Structure formats: structure tokens, C-alpha cells
Amino acid sequence: MLGPLHRSLGATRRLSGPPVRFRVRSTRARSACPPEVGAARVRKTFLDFFQHQHQHRLVLSSPVRPRGDPSLLFVNAGMNQFKPLLLGTVDPRSDMASYRRVVNSQKCVRAGGKHNDLEDVGKDVYHHTFFEMLGNWSFGDYFKEEACAMAWSLLTQHYGIPADRLYVSYFAGDPRSGLAADEETRQIWLELGRTSGRWGTRAPVVPARRSTTTTWAGETPPCWSTHTVRTWWRSGTWSSCSTTGRRSSSCGPCPVRAWTRGWDWRDWSASFKAKSPTTRRTSSSRCWTPSSREAAWRRTAAGRSWTWPTGWWLTTCARWRSASPTGSILACRGRSESCTNPPDQPIPVSGDFLLPVRLVLRKILRRAVRFCVEVLRAPPGTLASLVPTVAHTLGQVYPELHREADRVMDVINQNEDHFLSSLQQGSNLIGRTLRMMQDTHQLFPAAVAWSLHRDLGFPLDLVDLMLEERGVLVDRQQLDLLMAQNHKAAAEHGDAPPRLEMGVVTLAELQRLGVAHTDQRLKYHYRLEQKRYVFPACRAAVVALFDGQRLVSHVEEGQRCGVILDRTSFYAEQGGQAADRGYLVRDDLQEVPFSVEAVFRAGGYVIHQVTAAHALRTGDGVHLHLDQAHRLACMVNHTATHLLNLALRKVLGPSVQQRGSHLSAGRLRLDFSFKGSLSRGQLQQVEDCVNQVVLANQPVYVQEVALQSAMSIAGLRTVDEVYPDPVRVVSVSVPVSELLEDPADRRTSVELCCGTHLLRTAAIHDLVIVSEKQLVRGISRVVAVTGRDATQAREAGQSLLQEVDSLSARMTSSASSCLDSAQSLAKEVGVLSDAVDNTPIPHWQRAELQARLKTLQRSSNTAVRKIQNRQAAVQAQSVLDKNEHKDLLVDSVEAESLSVVMKTVNQLSWARPQSHVMLLAHQRHSGKVLCACQVPKDSAALSASAWAEAVCRQLGGEGRGSAVVARGTGSSDDIAQAVRWAEQFARRILDGRRPQEQEVTSAS
């Protein structure tokens, strides 16, 4: 059976020649034996059939890295490049607008988002990250009847699949959405089957529900009503169980999806109500993994139900065996095959990618590197050595693989070298940690897993995979907590990539080359038109490129670099203001944005740090695109910082001096000299002072003047910095020229500042101080938000105030003796306290609510304790009445909390100081048993901890405590039996003590 499999290796290389017709005898005895055919012939037959026989236009595959579509990380279906047509957003002037009949073979990667096969690779016999999708498309041309006829002709005549080995599913309707069954399609298929003479009265055309026959990629997109043609090659007859698509032979034939056809016939509203179409669109696609539909034929020829031993993979495997000392490759974990696959990795598609710095690509590549090194024991470079083989196999249909082969190999080798340096260290760390774990069922420490990810660059899913192979699971709950803490820290301190530091040697080289300092004047050239800020466009030229080590003449795609332009409209981080965001594009490559990750100054030059989305050279012309919303938010917060500085001086006195500040689009922070914390009243006064100026919509004036003249302005606020000369002076409400002429203090905000500011204060809308604390003695810090964030903070404060008022009223009116009610109120106080502590609200209001909640917490705790003490007293008296003269008190009580049980034990021990006391409380709703005990301090034979541990262990739980007092939990359906066991255990130990004491007494 394996002979045809190996003989067909050359089929993948025969890409030329006329369209082939695969003929198969139609008898049932031979229908299970498909023709020998390679992936290239499958693809070529499909494309030629539609292009030459049905006048479809051949459209080349789009890159697997989508451009201009932020909703996708990778192209994961053949329809992705046609989304503008499907959504009706196509430019009528574009070439795509003329598409009517189209055929394509699209490279696809499903390793993220809605369609993610990455976690299944290596765990079954048919999942891959990369595959091709063959498709024919009609945009307003033919519809169901013609599309079905084409599919039938291609499958049965050109591919030679026997009709009696096919069955079809169609849309069965959906009453909830008001959709009827697609009877039209059903009748079309029945007629095609009858015409062929191969479908009898029991025609395999079956209904299927909407979840399996509709396809959509978002909440309210166009929807495909699909039907699927499946085939099977194993012996047997068609039956309803075959339509499940199971990979088991227990119920007969094993179906293989051969065709999926869709009618784009409805748009869906958010309420899942179908709307009638405006244009009839059809698609047809056949999904194939790297082994293509060839897999269906090969699976039969080899007598297997897996997709690996096919031409594409066999060619790659042959190259692998020549490079790997193991001579064999694992098909999937825990299973070895003689003719197998290399680890799945994105070599076929890497020609379209940036250098794989993205998380998913790095994840896939590092999985492959680790598999090669640790499992297959392959030498370094083996993974990259497969690239020429892949390029040879797929390069004729995807020529970019030939063009980019060298770069792809460099990418793989660079990443392999980088990861190998930490792989051994990480593996050793995992091994050492596992050896230190005493219990094999113990969870792997989350801190170690996080260190592998943070410090050594291990993707977390790779850590999970390596531990899974050792039968160990990571402590996921603790790991999620560490990740949340990391995200919080990143949000507070920013998650910008490391900055490329330009040293004095590089600056000297720039000056030697005569590179002029960057013209930054455009960052200040904005205006206010009809209450909207208008920012200037900026075209610049690349005058220098810095790769982190030295100046270079060009950078390649994926390389991080610093771009120096002759002019810029971007604000570089300085003066406490965050840098601008945005992107730049080459003049000759407008559709590829170079995202600007950081903007900073060095010796008069402005460096725009980017990761190149394409090649970039000195001399290239670029257009800069500013993130205007981010810039405006920074302008709002910078002007608000000046007003806050003025308000603090007004409220707290002229001795207040600014000690630092930082502002971003989300918030502002100001450090100032002040002894002690601000009172609630002072915080309110500061906010009111700022918002009065905001409400007045005062103008903001900026003027560049000589430093000496600026320093003579009365009331000027400065910080301990070295200022340039001349210097920019920013004044609110009073023109700078008047301040220079008038020596009197105008009591307005006037500062030396290089930042960008509003032209009028009304754009701030509102300011709220959300945090105030002492950093060190004599230095305080306030954090504030503005605009919409400030409004939301005030609304959240009012909402929390209402909740506190409501809780306070309920606690005042409630004098309940019910412990559950009192504990519920106490829990509400705790939950509300957490909300007040962590929700952005006015800080003066936070302090007020916290004080009230502390009072409520004390009241609720007191109420709970009183109720518990009353219940304990009642329970203790009941136990004493039942056990009047016993020195060993073991009994059961009715109690809902361990605290009550413990208090009851304490009262019994106080009443009977020489008695050994244990109480059990059975929770009938859960079967849980609460246990508490106390023994006399001079009890040497029986300690409370040993007693509790023994009883709770008997009940399947655990107990702990001291020699005198202990507690624990367990579970039991028979509380009486548990009480007897506890008493017998104690009696046995105590009785064993008394004879010994008597012998000691007699001897003396």
C-alpha cells in the first residue's frame, strides 16, 4: 500500500502540461482506490478548470500578513482579500471593483483569533497551521445552479471522485431567525445526482443546522449559507452516522470534506435577524492542508486516516532525514511513524512576514526550535535548511518564496540562535524545579513559569507544553495573578519597547557627515478652526538611520531602528510630556505604515524609533501621520498641569514649589513641596480653582523670548532645569508681551515650557484629582484626570456615595439577630470598601467614603460578634446540660460558621477549665463538618492539635492549631458516628495516661 505513496513524490514537481482528467472506474469495488496525484496537480486542475473552461479571472494569493485590516492577524481564508467587495466598501476606481468571476489559491495561516489550529498541531493527524484554500467566486454573476454544476463536474469528471462516494449537506433553516430551509439548493443537488445516474432513491443530500452551514467572522457581517460535499474512501455504504465527520471507523465510512460552497445571501443585524441581500455572491472553496486534497487520495493509498504521508510532506521529510541524525520524525506526541513529518512551522509563509517579532510567529518558531533540538536531536540550522525544499515545492505558484528564501533562512537562524542561548538554561530551570517538588501531583510554581517567560523569552504556551510532556501542570490561578500584576505595572509605567540609545560617538559621526539638526517647528504649528484643532501635514526626508549600534544606509523589513528626518511634526518626549504617537509611510509605498514606537531627542536630533515594515533607506521621502487624538489629549493634560500648579500655590501658599511632573494622554501627575497631606477641603478648593479657569475658557499664549527677559517676569514658575536661550513662555489669560512690560505679579499661570498646549482652556472640560499621597517627607504627589475621564470619575463617585448611603441606612434600621444577615452586611461593607479604594473617583470623596466605611465595618463586625456570642452561649449551655459531670465533652452543635463553634468551645472551657472539649457542627446542605477543640493547658497526653488532626483526617479533611486550641474541617453523612469516633480517640489516650500516673505514685 505504501508503494504508490513513495512513487508519487515526483508528482509535486510536474507543474506544467495540459489540464489533466483523473479517470477512475465507477464500480463500487474500485471506487475506494483514488488516482495517484500530487498537490500541484490538484491545484493546477482546479485553477485551469475555472480559468479556461468557465472564464474566471485568476487572482494571485494575497500575503498572509493582511495589510490595512486590523481585524486579522493572519489571512485565514480565501475570502479575506475580497472583503471590500463583500462588505460593499470597495473603491469603484480600483481593479477589484471590476471582479465578476474569480478563481484563486490563497495561502492561509490559522494560528490566532477565531480560527486557531495552533494548539491542535501535533495532537491529531490532520491539523496544520498553514494550508491553501482553493476558491472560485462570483460577484453578481452566476448563482446556485451554475455553481453547483461546476462543482459537480470538477469533482466527478476532472478529479474522478465516484458520485456514489459523495454526499451533500444543505441549510436546514432556522426558525429563530425566520429563515426557511434552502430547498432550492437541495433540488439542484438531487437533480445533478439523478442525471449522473449514480444516486438512487436514497440520495445522500442531508439537512444541517445553521451552526454548521453558516459562516461569519464578526457580530454583524455578511453571512454565508454554506453546503458541504464530503467523500469517503473506506469500504461501506453511506449512512446517517457518516455525516458526523468522525475520524473513527466504528460506524462505517470515514468522510473527508471535499468541497464547501457558500451563498452570501444575508446580512445579519445585531439581533440575528436576516436582511435581504443587495447583490448575489457565491463562493466555493476547498480547504487543504500542506498536503492538499492529495491527502484524500494518499490516505486511501496508504490505508491511513492522516494527512502527513503526502507529497508535500514526504518531500520535506526526505530533506529532513538527510539532515537529522535521528532518521525519523515524530508525527504527533507519543506516537512514532516510519515516514513522518517535521514539526509544524511557518516556513512556507514567512516570505510575507515582518521578521517574526510578533508574538504568534515567535511562539510557532520557538516551538519548532525546541522540538528540533530537544526531541529530534537535530543540529542547529536544520530547521532553516528546509526552506529551499519548501521554496522548490511551492515556489512556482508562490514565487515570493524564491525571492525571500535567503531572508527567511536568516530569520529562522537568527531566532534559533537567540532562543537556543536560553533554551538550555530554561530546560535546566524546569528540571531543577521539578526535582525540588516533593509531590509529582503538585502544581508547577507560577513564579518559575513567569520567570521563564519574562526573563528567558519562553512563550507561556511552550512552558505549558514542556510541563505537559512531564505530566505536570502549572499553577494557572497564580500565573494569571502574576500576569495581571504585570499588565497593571505596564499600564502605570508604559509598555514602550526599549529605547535605542544614541551615544556621543554616533552624534559626532552625524556632525562629521554634516547632518543638520532636525527642524521641529511644525509640532507647534496647529490652529483652532470651528472648535476643532487642525494639525499640519508633514513631508520629510530620511537623513540618517541608526540600528542601535551605528549609522547605516538602509534597514530591512522587521529591523528596529532610529529614523532621523530633516523635519518632523512629532513631539519628542521631554519636559514631562509623553512623546507623540503615529506612523510614517514611504512616498512610494503609501499602503505600508511604519509605526512610530518612540520619539526622543539626542543632541538636537529627533529620533523616530520604528520597526521597519518594509525596507527603508537614507534619502527616502516619507509622510508623517500624527495620532491627533493622542496629541490633543496630551495638550489638554499639559495645560491642565499648569493650571493645577497655579491652584496649589493659591490654596496652599506661595512656598509650594513644583518638584516634577509627567503627563500622558490618560492622566497627569504633579509632584510638589508640601509638609503633610492635603485635607479634603483643600483638595476640593484646588479642583475648584482649576475648573473656574476652564469654565472661563481663557486663552493660552505662547511666545519665545530671551531667557534673561523671561526670568524677569513676576510670578514665573520654573523648575530646577537648564533652559535653552531663547526659551518658550506659556501664559494663561495674559499675553506674554504684557507680562514682559508690566513688572507686577498678575497672579496667573506663567511657566517656561517646551511642551504643546491648548489654545483655549475650555477643551479641558473638567479636572478631578484621583490620588494624593506623600512620596517622602516634604514631597507630595497628586494624580489627576481630565475631560471624559474626569466626568466618569465624578459619576463613579456619586454612584459609590449612593451605595454607601443605602448600606448605612440598612445597617441602622436592621437590628436583626440573624447571623447570616449580619455577616452579609459585613461582607457588603468589605466589597464596597474595595470598590472605593480601587475605582477612580475624586480623592476628597474617596477619603470621605473610606472614613464612613471604616465606621460601618466596625459596627458590622461588632454586630456579628454579638450574635455569635449569643449563639455560642446558648449552644454551650445546651452541651453542659447534656454532659453535667463529664470531664470529656464531645458533642455536636448547630452552627453555620467555624467562628461560632470556636466561641462555644471557649465558653465551655471557661465553665469547665479541666475538661477536654471538642464540638462538631454538621452542615446539612453540603455535608461539611466543622471541628473545634480545646484542652487544659497542663494536658500532656492529649494536645488539641493532635486531636483535631486525627478527627479531621478521619473525616477526609485536615486540622491544625496549637497544643491548647485547634480547629479544622472534614465531611461526613453521619455526624453521630463522627462524634463517637472523636470521643473514643480521646478516651483511649486519656485512659492510657491514668495507669501510668498510678504506677509512678506507687513507686514513689
Side-chain angles (χ1 to χ4, degrees), residues 690-765:
V690 173
N691 289 321
Q692 286 174 8
V693 180
V694 172
L695 187 62
N697 194 22
Q698 298 284 2
V700 179
Y701 299 95
V702 181
Q703 185 176 331
E704 194 173 82
V705 299
L707 179 59
Q708 184 175 359
S709 300
M711 298 302 291
S712 67
I713 297 177
L716 178 71
R717 251 77 67 193
T718 62
V719 293
D720 188 16
E721 290 184 1
V722 177
Y723 292 98
D725 190 6
V727 67
R728 297 179 79 245
V729 180
V730 179
S731 171
V732 177
S733 76
V734 181
V736 177
S737 57
E738 293 185 15
L739 295 174
L740 291 170
E741 296 171 359
D742 187 356
D745 187 352
R746 303 292 288 269
R747 293 186 175 275
T748 187
S749 172
V750 52
E751 299 187 26
L752 305 182
C753 182
C754 61
T756 56
H757 285 269
L758 297 172
L759 301 181
R760 303 196 73 91
T761 61
I764 299 173
H765 296 297

Side-chain angles (χ1 to χ4, degrees), residues 15 23 58 185 265 377 431 634 644 662 694 874 899 923 940:
L15 302 178
R23 299 189 181 276
L58 177 61
T185 299
W265 67 317
R377 307 296 181 185
C634 289
L644 181 60
H662 186 270
V694 172
V874 173
S899 178
Q923 313 298 298

